[in-house]
Amino acid sequence: MARILVVEDEPDLRQVLAYNLRDAGHDVVLASEGRKGIALANEHPPELVLLDLMLPDISGLEVCRALKGAERTRDVPVIMVTARGEEIDRVVGFELGADDYVVKPFSIRELLLRLRAVLRRGATPPEESASTAPTQVHFGRLTIDAGAHRIWVDGVEVALTPLEFKLLCTLHERRNRVQSRGVLLDDVWGASQENMTRTIDTHVKRLREKLGIHVGQYVETVRGVGYRFVGRPPEAEAEPGETR
Ligand code: CA
């Protein structure tokens, strides 16, 4: 089914995971240390990483940051495995782009369900990602694949209507420049009627909602004029954890 990299230092748990994941039909690659995990992921990007938080060399958070920061592995979903009482780390894990987490001790059944959900919503089959890779652009936490008409926020695919997709691409292509509603009507809708500008506002609003609280802010409102896609991701200069 899927190629899964398990980074786990406890030998017993590692073997139990390997056995059950293989039993469920997955192709399993094992690493007992963080650096080894990063190396294996770079060598041959898996379709999912099951990542223990407490590792002997570097922490699971550092591994997650490394994977999400590298071009080759940034879209690979990561499920963090944490022990009880690691609440803060858990949140930080999400900020670093982890896609889900499980708390030890967990049942294999629960893990397989989570795994399936993450694979379904986030993953791109390897053949597909290879053929569409050149058309993917990354902007902060947003990934756009213009060729495939698909977008991802924090590695999770978001379904857009064709019009919303065109609106997002048009704004992104002209980022840092204000686009008036008239221009957007012409270029996105192919129409220029005064009374249609409300349509744009409605679509931008819906697009922002779909992009979520962080990435939605990439599309700024320029009062009385139109919209502008920001010049660079706000995360670059904002403090981590900052919200609207
Ligand atoms: Ca551990």
Side-chain angles (χ1 to χ4, degrees), residues 145-160:
D145 190 331
H149 275 243
R150 296 168 76 183
I151 74 148
W152 292 262
V153 170
D154 291 333
V156 177
E157 186 163 14
V158 177
L160 296 184

Side-chain angles (χ1 to χ4, degrees), residues 142-209:
L142 173 69
T143 302
I144 302 175
D145 190 331
H149 275 243
R150 296 168 76 183
I151 74 148
W152 292 262
V153 170
D154 291 333
V156 177
E157 186 163 14
V158 177
L160 296 184
T161 65
L163 209 56
E164 288 166 346
F165 186 83
K166 195 171 175 192
L167 176 61
L168 177 66
C169 288
T170 303
L171 288 167
H172 171 261
E173 278 161 18
R174 303 168 188 179
R175 56 193 171 276
N176 218 14
R177 287 147 56 197
V178 186
Q179 300 302 306
S180 72
R181 290 182 178 82
V183 164
L184 290 174
L185 264 182
D186 281 343
D187 294 353
V188 180
W189 275 259
S192 66
Q193 295 153 33
E194 196 91 29
N195 60 1
M196 271 189 68
T197 54
R198 280 282 166 83
T199 308
I200 296 179
D201 297 349
T202 308
H203 278 82
V204 168
K205 183 169 177 284
R206 209 171 300 147
L207 176 62
R208 278 193 187 127
E209 285 167 4

